[in-house]
Amino acid sequence: MEYVDQVLAAVKEKNAYEPEFLQTVTEVLNSLRPVMARHPEFQKAKLLERLVEPERIISFRVPWVDDQGEYHINRGFRVQFNSAIGPYKGGLRFHPSVNQSILKFLGFEQIFKNSLTGLPIGGGKGGCDFDPKGKSDNEVMRFCQSFMTELYRHIGPDCDVPAGDIGVGGREIGYLYGQYKRITGQYAGVLTGKGLTYGGSLARTEATGYGLCYYTDEMLRDNGKSFEGKTVVISGSGNVAIYANQKATQLGAKVVAMSDSNGYIYDPNGIDYKVIQEIKEVKRARIKTYLDYVPTAQYVEGCRKIWTIPCDIALPCATQNELDVEGAQALISNGCFAVAEGANMPTTLEATELFQSKGVLFGPAKAANAGGVATSALEMSQNSARMSWTFEEVDQKLHDIMVNIYHNSAKAAAEYGMEGDLVAGANIAGFLKVANAMMAQGLV
Ligand code: NDP
Ligand code: 2IT
């Protein structure tokens, strides 16, 4: 049996109850086949067997008290997946669906994404099955303090640096940071996405959405196209979606649909990101509220049908597996010619293959959404240097990083005989740096 098939079979047997993790490992390992054929030394060193096994998973109890005095117990995790090229780096997700499979998939993706940024950061992810929706600020604070009371002993500025993800934004990072500092007495750059008054970086809030558009813009230009005058559909209405809307609009496109887990809005006149920002970041309300601001818009209950809205460019920015074959078929039949993933693994394997077989330009998450973590790494640099750079400086670095990621991925795909396949290119380019570091560091 071929090396990749052997490893895939073993991973499937060992992790049979982790579907999201198996999905990402299958995609990545399949695209590494030509690399393994050219590098027999990787097989001898059992590199893939090591790569698919997290260095460490920490799972812990998170007890907290709600405003009525009732006790709650949640399950927290940190998956420290790979530290070959730098300290573990990756977000924390607070969502009721969080489990080990989802965090292992996210941690595995993060290894290659972080490598693609060109910055020295390893791969990790964490989170909790806590649901911040409908909780008061005090409840969220008590929860975050309890979560950090265990997590603090496993992280550090040169060891593991968490950040935000679904359900974890500026408010949560603030509470987590305060508790870390209180327990350890250290004013350390141990989290990113911090507020601007206590060590945060300018442009980190905007970075994932902006970066997604910088990457997409480069992919479009390389194919003789642009955002100018195009219609865009963005799923989700959180951190990534809001700033993807702002940047796509600045680049000349019109964003006509956005969603949350309850439903989607359609506004043919274009959705102003500031309205979504107010609904989601200030009021913490549902996207349906958009009708109070723009009564001529339409609201449709249920989020999955958002892909039936005709568009040129689709940017899935909500969650994993939100874009399946049915959605992909709807997009293709309406003439959509480019898809770039703001969320992590939003497109199913089958839908990805469909897009690629129909010639739709397809930018995979680990490349297209790497701007968030790249800017987190820039926040770490600023913290270490006790400096802060201007918005323009950070934004320029972010832009250059995204353009490089696009070209490095395209080049890697071509070098391994898969010209135009940006999925394979991102996997290969991200993998090679980590693999070389692992080879150099011996059997660890
Ligand atoms: P937010 O919590 O700010 O927003 C998440 C958005 O996605 C909300 O609109 C939410 O709707 C929607 N959503 C979440 N879960 C589901 C679901 N199961 N079904 C339908 N909609 C859902 O998170 P972010 O914007 O930060 O993250 C969005 C995606 O981007 C995630 O995949 C994340 O991993 C990825 N990402 C984030 C980065 C960052 O820097 N924040 C960096 C790179 C990737 P509702 O409010 O109804 O739950
Ligand atoms: O998926 C991701 O890359 C993130 N949630 C951002 C991680 C980070 O450390 O900034």
Side-chain angles (χ1 to χ4, degrees):
M1 216 194 318
E2 204 185 306
Y3 179 41
V4 164
D5 292 311
Q6 276 172 35
V7 178
L8 274 177
V11 173
K12 282 177 187 160
E13 197 181 324
K14 254 194 176 169
N15 305 277
Y17 300 104
E18 298 186 344
E20 293 86 2
F21 178 57
L22 292 179
Q23 186 178 336
T24 176
V25 172
T26 303
E27 182 215 280
V28 172
L29 264 51
N30 272 328
S31 60
L32 294 179
R33 286 176 195 277
V35 182
M36 294 307 136
R38 215 179 279 182
H39 293 277
E41 71 275 18
F42 290 162
Q43 176 170 2
K44 191 148 185 292
K46 293 221 162 46
L47 201 80
L48 293 182
E49 289 90 330
R50 284 193 268 153
L51 194 69
V52 295
E53 200 60 42
E55 289 176 17
R56 193 174 301 102
I57 299 180
I58 300 136
S59 168
F60 51 97
R61 180 204 295 160
V62 189
W64 59 280
V65 187
D66 71 19
D67 289 345
Q68 283 69 47
E70 197 174 318
Y71 293 1
H72 296 268
I73 315 298
N74 285 101
R75 181 176 291 177
F77 294 95
R78 186 73 183 163
V79 179
Q80 298 182 329
F81 222 121
N82 191 299
S83 62
I85 64 166
Y88 310 106
K89 181 83 198 85
L92 296 171
R93 177 176 291 193
F94 293 167
H95 192 273
S97 63
V98 162
N99 58 34
Q100 185 167 298
S101 171
I102 289 179
L103 294 182
K104 278 176 69 181
F105 121 63
L106 289 163
F108 190 70
E109 285 280 298
Q110 204 81 45
I111 302 170
F112 310 101
K113 183 195 304 193
N114 293 4
S115 167
L116 281 170
T117 66
L119 300 168
I121 40 179
K125 201 83 187 189
C128 191
D129 59 0
F130 172 75
D131 187 359
K133 276 200 202 84
K135 304 290 190 297
S136 69
D137 285 353
N138 276 329
E139 288 173 329
V140 171
M141 180 175 72
R142 285 195 294 274
F143 169 80
C144 288
Q145 290 176 339
S146 181
F147 186 85
M148 186 53 87
T149 300
E150 175 57 34
L151 186 68
Y152 88 92
R153 68 188 84 241
H154 308 291
I155 62 176
D158 294 313
C159 154
D160 184 355
V161 183
D165 192 79
I166 291 177
V168 178
R171 175 183 60 172
E172 290 74 19
I173 293 292
Y175 295 148
L176 290 164
Y177 190 74
Q179 185 71 353
Y180 180 88
K181 185 163 59 66
R182 187 178 187 205
I183 295 172
T184 63
Q186 302 288 311
Y187 208 101
V190 71
L191 293 166
T192 59
K194 299 185 293 297
L196 299 178
T197 52
Y198 63 95
S201 174
L202 285 158
R204 174 60 187 92
T205 305
E206 295 84 354
T208 311
Y210 280 20
L212 171 66
C213 292
Y214 294 149
Y215 174 96
T216 308
D217 192 41
E218 196 62 21
M219 175 173 81
L220 294 171
R221 283 164 190 267
D222 202 28
N223 289 276
K225 297 177 169 25
S226 79
F227 268 112
E228 190 63 47
K230 302 300 184 306
T231 301
V232 176
V233 165
I234 299 180
S235 63
S237 48
N239 174 266
V240 181
I242 290 171
Y243 299 99
N245 174 332
Q246 185 192 8
K247 186 53 72 180
T249 308
Q250 274 176 14
L251 292 171
K254 186 158 75 172
V255 178
V256 296
M258 292 181 76
S259 60
D260 62 19
S261 58
N262 293 115
Y264 67 87
I265 48 161
Y266 172 54
D267 183 351
N269 295 320
I271 299 166
D272 181 353
Y273 84 96
K274 287 208 194 82
V275 175
I276 307 297
Q277 205 181 27
E278 184 172 314
I279 294 172
K280 289 289 168 179
E281 291 179 358
V282 182
K283 297 188 171 165
R284 297 186 187 277
R286 308 310 301 159
I287 195 117
K288 193 179 181 176
T289 318
Y290 187 78
L291 299 186
D292 298 345
Y293 296 82
V294 185
T296 53
Q298 282 173 37
Y299 174 72
V300 179
E301 200 67 43
C303 55
R304 294 193 81 89
K305 289 268 188 276
I306 190 170
W307 310 119
T308 62
I309 303 282
C311 66
D312 303 305
I313 299 163
L315 304 175
C317 295
T319 194
Q320 63 273 0
N321 292 326
E322 54 165 319
L323 174 46
D324 58 12
V325 167
E326 201 184 322
Q329 274 161 347
L331 286 168
I332 293 165
S333 62
N334 284 326
C336 169
F337 60 76
V339 177
E341 299 183 316
N344 285 306
M345 203 170 73
T347 316
T348 63
L349 285 176
E350 298 73 24
T352 305
E353 281 163 17
L354 183 63
F355 284 130
Q356 291 186 315
S357 70
K358 298 287 180 192
V360 174
L361 299 173
F362 188 84
K366 62 175 72 65
N369 75 26
V373 76
T375 308
S376 277
L378 300 178
E379 182 171 331
M380 290 165 70
S381 299
Q382 293 169 81
N383 290 165
S384 298
R386 309 251 185 263
M387 300 241 305
S388 53
W389 303 332
T390 64
F391 189 98
E392 289 69 28
E393 270 176 284
V394 179
D395 191 34
Q396 185 61 49
K397 288 187 204 298
L398 167 65
H399 179 269
D400 295 349
I401 288 169
M402 298 314 296
V403 168
N404 280 334
I405 290 176
Y406 172 78
H407 289 289
N408 289 340
S409 306
K411 201 166 128 228
E415 269 173 21
Y416 282 88
M418 289 179 285
E419 187 138 11
D421 183 344
L422 296 170
V423 176
N427 288 337
I428 293 170
F431 168 79
L432 283 172
K433 181 177 174 190
V434 176
N436 289 328
M438 286 175 74
M439 292 297 284
Q441 290 171 25
L443 180 60
V444 289

